[in-house]
Amino acid sequence: MMPSRLSVDSFKHLIYMHEYRILGPSRTSFDFILQFDLGIQYIFNQEYKNCTRQVLTAKWEDYYSIPPSANFYTEDYIGSGQQFNGVLVNVWGSNSTDKPFTGAWTSDSCIPVFHTYYDPSSKSFSYVTYYNITVGIANPNIFVPPSYCPTQ
């Protein structure tokens, strides 16, 4: 998989992701809009103008927040082991049997750095790293589904 673009509105619990995929000799891309508070996700391909609307069963807490049941593991510097030469992060995690995870967020702004979690239903691990982060959303309309997406 190639790098993706991600926009997150942590106040309204919205996620937009543009994901590139290599399928055999061809490349394609998909866009996702996840509206957690409404329980709706849109998956669409801008090139072919097709879109599906699905029920979103995942919770916001499963993705971009530190769950209330999480344990604080440690704090450390990324980039350099010396104060003022790196980014101070807090590492949180959970060893629960239903959704074990580990993640790091910057200590001053709670910006995600990485997270890894295990999904027992699919028996798969996921590891996500975040980089080139810009605070703020340049285009809030990115969270609005295209007109060709179904409304029901």
Side-chain angles (χ1 to χ4, degrees):
M1 183 162 40
M2 298 174 68
S4 302
R5 286 192 320 257
L6 178 73
S7 294
V8 177
D9 183 333
S10 60
F11 295 105
K12 295 182 181 177
H13 299 161
L14 302 169
I15 294 176
Y16 166 81
M17 183 170 52
H18 182 79
E19 186 174 284
Y20 299 97
R21 293 187 180 178
I22 299 172
L23 303 171
S26 64
R27 293 181 184 204
T28 190
S29 65
F30 294 94
D31 294 85
F32 302 84
I33 296 174
L34 288 75
Q35 301 173 334
F36 286 89
D37 292 348
L38 298 175
I40 300 169
Q41 73 176 348
Y42 295 91
I43 303 170
F44 54 99
N45 181 297
Q46 293 186 28
E47 182 181 354
Y48 296 108
K49 305 283 189 228
N50 57 22
C51 178
T52 59
R53 180 179 190 246
Q54 301 173 345
V55 173
L56 177 63
T57 58
K59 299 195 178 346
W60 174 256
E61 294 78 21
D62 294 339
Y63 280 85
Y64 294 101
S65 66
I66 302 168
S69 62
N71 299 309
F72 175 76
Y73 287 164
T74 188
E75 69 178 10
D76 209 347
Y77 286 92
I78 295 177
S80 173
Q82 299 176 6
Q83 187 175 9
F84 306 116
N85 289 330
V87 176
L88 182 62
V89 297
N90 293 323
V91 180
W92 295 81
S94 168
N95 290 329
S96 74
T97 55
D98 58 332
K99 289 220 175 183
F101 83 96
T102 302
W105 288 262
T106 59
S107 65
D108 61 347
S109 303
C110 207
I111 295 171
V113 176
F114 79 87
H115 71 264
T116 181
Y117 58 91
Y118 177 73
D119 181 0
S121 63
S122 65
K123 295 186 172 129
S124 64
F125 284 93
S126 177
Y127 181 78
V128 179
T129 58
Y130 303 93
Y131 52 92
N132 294 334
I133 294 173
T134 303
V135 177
I137 300 167
N139 179 8
N141 290 326
I142 203 161
F143 301 110
V144 177
S147 59
Y148 55 85
C149 285
T151 57
Q152 294 290 328

